[in-house]
Amino acid sequence: MVTAIVFQDSIVPDLQANLFGEPEAPPIAVASRFAEIVFDRPLDHAYTYAVPDHLLDIIAVGKRVLVPFGRGDRKAAGFCVGVNSTPPERHAKQLLQILDDEPLFTPQLLRLTRWLADYYLCGWGQVLNAIVPAGVKHRAGTRSVVLIEAVPQALWPNPPPKLTGKQKHVLGILREQDQPIDVRHLVRLSQCAMGPIKALVDKGFARRKFGRIETVPKRDDEDADAPPSNFVPEAPFTLTDDQQLVWNTIEPALRDGGFKPFLLHGITGSGKTEIYLRAINEVVRQGKEALVLVPEISLTPQTIQAFRGRCGDVAVLHSHMQQAERGGHWRKIAAGKAGVIVGARSAVFAPTRRLGLIVIDEEHDSSYKQDATPRYHARDVAVMRARLENIPIILGSATPSLESWHNAERGQYTLLSLPKRVLDRPLPPVHLVDLRHDRHPDKRLHGLSPSLERAMRQALDAGGQVILLLNRRGFSTHIQCPGCGHVEQCKFCDLALIFHRDRNVAMCHYCGYEQPPAERCPVCGLGQVRYQGMGTEKLHAEIEAKFPGTTTARMDSDSMRKPGSHRQTLHAFQRGDIQILLGTQMIAKGLDFPNVTLVGVVNADVALHFADFRAGERTFQLLAQVAGRTGRGPRGGKVFVQTFQPEHPSIALAARHDYRGFAAAELAHRQKHGYPPYQRLARLIVRGKNAKSAGDYADRLAAAFEQAQERLKKTQSGQIRILGPAEAPIFRLKGYHRFHFQLQSPSSAYLHDVLRQTLPTAKPGQGIEVTVDIDPQDML
């Protein structure tokens, strides 16, 4: 058989070109039927392979295949994205194997992933490979079995052989089944040995097939709360007047169908979840499916139970699940057996069959952005999926992203508002504690100011509970010599090492590097170093010292490593066994505890001055979200925010619960400087082990950008602003030196054209890598 991989330029047009070269097309050959295959590589096109006769009946779009690839014909897995009988100009190598029994992707998902690859400038195969869970690829949670089915009577032998009584009994059972049955299950049903079954196969009345069945037992955490078979859903709450107005707008859209995006702006505690649940129940009643996305840290057992209490059996998809579990839920969804799917970012690709609604809770959350190829934003992908599938989508938040708010202002989204809390409970008063003046008599910087400490004692004495937010892990945020000023740095990153007292190590939170904490300064030799700055460990120690006899728990990624610990801690807090809960941003969202009467923000300035144009927005959002954890019960609540800059707009406006005021001021600032949502943004990072080589290539890439602009000006109008190259704010990260570009343009299409024109013309040298991030969320 003649072998050749054929380049079909028309299969996947307009994707980012293979950034830095593509394999040459081998010689010509002839074939009959062909499959278009894409690979997990940054390529802009599919390869054509011949389908051998023995695979013609099982090849299908959406399946994985094994093929010979490249000049060495090494075996590679790819995805079939097309099957046709049109002979290509060149002959093709043959497929070797079909890896899946059923297609992994619906036609709608293929359209969505095709768009995603085009928009985020990556290979279609890279997208397809990324969205399929490892448990599905490896068939985790299933086992291979022998299946038996009855042969149709028209195909029985003529004349038919005589059957014994047991054989007739088994054949009767087989003919009652609507699908092949596991041979072991058939033995149990018929209460006979294998002899009669084998005889039926030998005589032509039955036939064997091979298949796979699920073997995954339910876990003892989230799935332990799954509803029983006699499940009775909880009754819906009576809607407030504001909720009723919102529901009156959403209900017709759910009934009539069609793409309709809604932005639900509801303050914390206003009842957004009740709107979600009613919408979900409506589409499920219509025999359709609902997909709900929540940020990973908000995917708490309390959140999942809220959906299960009203919707019954809910399929859950998130990164902390075992491969077998996640694969089982994916297959359940693909089989159309899950009416409601709740999950984190990657759940946007759930293989639903009759999708009727998408809900994005906390739509502003930055964790919806993927930080590895494909660098997609799940919120934006969800909106596109709703458009492609022609269904409504609800984006909800107390602090919407400015991109979504701007879309609502210009009529792209329908804005819905829930300005009051349920039962007309007031928003908690927010007290700003100025750390420049509110100090302890010893003048040392404590985690708890005198004002916050007094408020905690009052809340605890009254029987309330306290939540404290400090978005810094570890004990001390840096280790410094008081003699020469040296700060212990990571061996591989331009970052200070964080001291973790629990494990007695100094570690980098970016690359994971660890070393024993220094006893002497490595620069001047001084035998005394200072552990400065405050993380959650140090705060925990301070609280235990100041509040002896009070049960305190810490929630951060260090203390919540044990499976089930997150759930156990929250249940203990809900029961009242824990009086003070402190932690990082994982305690800021998805929690509803009526007995919390005080929330304290230990340091509101942590991320306020990052080299990121969204720093102010994120600070406002985090403060508003954590403030919403209190005042949800009849006892009310209050919030104390410690800061060195109480006059900063992000902090002052958050204290007044004034989202609209913040949005107006911040949008005016963004428009003035040409930042999203008024212009589209792309960020390129050039990195290499050798700083000079990386910098030289970054300069060549800058020249290529200028040349691409000149070429495009001759054929189309458009403008683009290119900043860089410059050293990234964190120049050395994980052993790589990094330079970055920032590209801004009013036109997304023009921005993409410039990138497509430039990248193929400036191939990086050995050891140099280039990352393209469209609509970046991380500017460090």
Side-chain angles (χ1 to χ4, degrees):
M1 183 72 182
V2 181
T3 58
I5 296 177
V6 179
F7 169 55
Q8 291 287 304
D9 187 59
S10 62
I11 299 301
V12 191
D14 299 329
L15 279 179
Q16 174 182 340
N18 172 11
L19 294 185
F20 314 112
E22 59 189 42
E24 295 179 4
I28 298 180
V30 177
S32 56
R33 195 159 178 80
F34 303 93
E36 310 301 336
I37 310 299
V38 295
F39 298 92
D40 181 22
R41 290 171 171 80
L43 303 172
D44 72 333
H45 57 272
Y47 289 86
T48 302
Y49 283 83
V51 182
D53 292 344
H54 69 282
L55 298 179
L56 285 175
D57 291 337
I58 57 174
I59 185 66
V61 172
K63 290 186 177 183
R64 290 176 304 144
V65 298
L66 193 67
V67 299
F69 185 77
R71 292 190 181 94
D73 283 348
R74 62 188 182 279
K75 293 180 180 179
F79 298 87
C80 178
V81 295
V83 179
N84 61 72
S85 57
T86 304
E89 294 180 1
R90 292 173 175 251
H91 292 259
K93 297 178 182 179
Q94 280 195 345
L95 298 182
L96 301 177
Q97 186 180 348
I98 309 296
L99 300 178
D100 301 303
D101 297 327
E102 300 293 335
L104 299 178
F105 312 103
T106 62
Q108 294 89 342
L109 266 183
L110 284 172
R111 290 174 62 202
L112 179 69
T113 54
R114 175 65 185 79
W115 167 84
L116 190 151
D118 190 21
Y119 183 75
Y120 290 101
L121 296 175
C122 56
W124 195 2
Q126 290 179 298
V127 177
L128 296 176
N129 186 66
I131 72 172
V132 180
V136 175
K137 296 174 188 173
H138 302 148
R139 300 183 177 184
T142 69
R143 61 180 175 85
S144 181
V145 295
V146 177
L147 303 174
I148 301 292
E149 67 178 354
V151 172
Q153 188 168 351
L155 301 179
W156 283 2
N158 189 16
K162 291 185 179 180
L163 301 178
T164 67
K166 285 187 176 180
Q167 292 168 3
K168 290 180 180 178
H169 174 60
V170 174
L171 181 59
I173 293 175
L174 281 177
R175 298 187 68 185
E176 292 173 356
Q177 309 302 314
D178 57 2
Q179 60 185 1
I181 184 173
D182 182 0
V183 67
R184 290 185 294 185
H185 185 45
L186 179 58
V187 167
R188 290 192 294 269
L189 283 178
S190 61
Q191 296 183 337
C192 69
M194 283 294 299
I197 299 173
K198 185 176 183 302
L200 285 176
V201 174
D202 294 340
K203 292 179 179 181
F205 291 95
R207 57 193 176 200
R208 293 188 185 92
K209 299 182 72 172
F210 293 95
R212 305 189 73 86
I213 61 173
E214 299 284 336
T215 61
V216 184
K218 288 185 175 179
R219 281 175 63 179
D220 60 356
D221 48 16
E222 290 94 350
D223 281 335
D225 295 329
S229 57
N230 59 347
F231 167 75
V232 177
E234 298 172 359
F237 293 99
T238 301
L239 296 180
T240 66
D241 291 342
D242 291 330
Q243 287 176 319
Q244 190 64 55
L245 288 174
V246 168
W247 180 243
N248 290 345
T249 304
I250 292 177
E251 185 182 23
L254 299 173
R255 187 174 57 248
D256 300 338
F259 173 63
K260 296 183 180 66
F262 297 97
L263 178 61
L264 177 57
H265 175 218
I267 63 171
T268 55
S270 60
K272 294 186 292 295
T273 302
E274 179 62 26
I275 298 297
Y276 301 156
L277 292 170
R278 290 203 175 214
I280 291 166
N281 285 334
E282 173 60 25
V283 298
V284 171
R285 184 189 64 78
Q286 297 173 16
K288 300 176 183 176
E289 299 147 333
L291 173 60
V292 183
L293 298 188
V294 298
E296 187 87 49
I297 60 174
S298 298
L299 196 56
T300 62
Q302 191 180 38
T303 301
I304 295 170
Q305 186 55 36
F307 287 99
R308 282 185 169 149
R310 288 278 290 277
C311 306
D313 193 9
V314 173
V316 181
L317 294 172
H318 61 82
S319 62
H320 298 302
M321 301 174 76
Q322 298 173 358
Q323 285 190 16
E325 288 179 285
R326 198 170 179 189
H329 279 290
W330 175 281
R331 289 185 290 269
K332 178 181 177 181
I333 296 166
K337 297 179 180 178
V340 182
I341 302 98
V342 178
R345 178 179 60 227
S346 61
V348 72
F349 303 111
T352 56
R353 302 290 170 174
R354 305 176 308 279
L355 190 59
L357 171 70
I358 300 176
V359 174
I360 314 291
D361 191 28
E362 309 289 5
E363 66 84 31
H364 67 277
D365 197 278
S366 60
S367 68
Y368 282 128
K369 175 72 171 179
Q370 171 97 339
D371 60 2
T373 303
R375 288 176 167 79
Y376 66 89
H377 198 300
R379 178 198 63 217
D380 300 337
V381 173
V383 172
M384 178 54 69
R385 183 169 187 180
R387 182 187 297 275
L388 292 174
E389 302 212 21
N390 202 31
I391 60 172
I393 179 171
I394 303 172
L395 296 86
S397 176
T399 55
S401 66
L402 293 181
E403 289 83 357
S404 294
W405 187 256
H406 181 62
N407 278 332
E409 285 187 328
R410 62 196 186 112
Q412 298 295 312
Y413 297 167
T414 299
L415 180 61
L416 306 172
S417 182
L418 293 175
K420 300 177 184 176
R421 283 188 160 185
V422 295
L423 302 178
D424 284 328
R425 290 190 177 117
L427 284 167
V430 178
H431 304 274
L432 296 180
V433 179
D434 190 341
L435 294 177
R436 296 171 296 188
H437 309 296
D438 198 330
R439 307 283 291 271
H440 287 272
D442 60 10
K443 302 300 182 181
R444 293 173 55 199
L445 187 61
H446 296 241
L448 305 177
S449 65
S451 297
L452 179 55
E453 188 176 331
R454 283 193 301 271
M456 289 174 64
R457 296 190 186 281
Q458 293 170 2
L460 294 171
D461 290 344
Q465 292 172 292
V466 177
I467 288 179
L468 296 177
L469 170 72
L470 176 59
N471 209 19
R472 282 282 180 89
R473 293 190 292 127
F475 190 85
S476 299
T477 57
H478 61 282
I479 305 169
Q480 189 170 30
C481 173
C484 68
H486 169 75
V487 175
E488 282 287 81
Q489 295 277 322
C490 173
K491 184 177 180 181
F492 304 102
C493 308
D494 288 340
L495 293 165
L497 291 176
I498 311 296
F499 175 58
H500 287 250
R501 194 174 70 171
D502 285 357
R503 298 172 52 220
N504 194 35
V505 297
M507 70 177 296
C508 175
H509 285 178
Y510 274 76
C511 73
Y513 169 75
E514 296 181 4
Q515 69 180 40
E519 296 181 358
R520 305 181 68 87
C521 175
V523 176
C524 70
L526 186 70
Q528 186 178 19
V529 294
R530 292 179 180 173
Y531 294 84
Q532 298 184 321
M534 176 163 289
T536 49
E537 282 185 35
K538 184 183 284 189
L539 178 63
H540 195 183
E542 180 178 331
I543 292 170
E544 289 183 329
K546 290 182 175 179
F547 296 86
T550 301
T551 305
T552 305
R554 185 178 102 237
M555 287 187 66
D556 55 32
S557 57
D558 297 318
S559 61
M560 296 289 110
R561 290 180 177 178
K562 185 179 178 182
S565 57
H566 189 260
R567 178 174 181 264
Q568 293 166 9
T569 301
L570 291 179
H571 279 189
F573 191 64
Q574 188 173 35
R575 292 192 304 267
D577 298 340
I578 296 170
Q579 285 78 53
I580 301 175
L581 180 66
L582 67 102
T584 55
Q585 62 177 340
M586 66 169 57
I587 67 170
K589 303 169 186 177
L591 305 180
D592 186 354
F593 299 113
N595 198 43
V596 173
T597 57
L598 175 67
V599 164
V601 179
V602 176
N603 186 353
D605 310 335
V606 167
L608 192 57
H609 299 294
F610 280 179
D612 189 333
F613 69 92
R614 290 191 179 92
E617 180 184 8
R618 287 175 180 156
T619 297
F620 178 93
Q621 290 167 340
L622 186 60
L623 293 179
Q625 292 287 336
V626 73
R629 299 312 105 200
T630 188
R632 290 174 174 252
R635 303 174 65 179
K638 53 187 175 181
V639 182
F640 276 68
V641 176
Q642 298 186 157
T643 174
F644 286 97
Q645 290 187 280
E647 68 282 352
H648 192 286
S650 296
I651 295 174
L653 291 169
R656 298 202 295 267
H657 305 288
D658 187 3
Y659 172 79
R660 289 176 180 266
F662 170 80
E666 185 68 12
L667 283 172
H669 177 75
R670 299 269 184 94
Q671 187 173 28
K672 178 181 178 181
H673 295 283
Y675 278 102
Y678 296 99
Q679 292 198 15
R680 310 309 290 264
L681 184 65
R683 186 180 187 224
L684 276 73
I685 296 178
V686 175
R687 71 173 198 165
K689 297 282 189 180
N690 184 286
K692 185 178 186 308
S693 298
D696 289 345
Y697 172 71
D699 290 335
R700 283 201 295 119
L701 191 56
F705 276 125
E706 296 297 335
Q707 293 169 8
Q709 281 198 85
E710 292 302 318
R711 288 194 300 269
L712 283 171
K713 285 179 182 178
K714 298 175 182 178
T715 59
Q716 57 181 289
S717 60
Q719 53 182 302
I720 192 167
R721 182 187 183 199
I722 301 174
L723 301 178
E727 293 184 2
I730 303 176
F731 179 48
R732 192 169 57 101
L733 190 66
K734 299 180 181 180
Y736 288 88
H737 298 86
R738 309 185 314 144
F739 296 85
H740 69 155
F741 293 85
Q742 186 171 299
L743 283 68
Q744 298 167 229
S745 176
S747 168
S748 174
Y750 189 76
L751 178 64
H752 281 71
D753 285 343
V754 170
L755 289 167
R756 290 193 188 97
Q757 289 271 342
T758 303
L759 295 172
T761 66
K763 299 178 181 180
Q766 186 174 3
I768 305 299
E769 300 176 8
V770 180
T771 296
V772 182
D773 192 359
I774 304 295
D775 303 331
Q777 293 288 312
D778 180 7
M779 305 302 292
L780 299 180

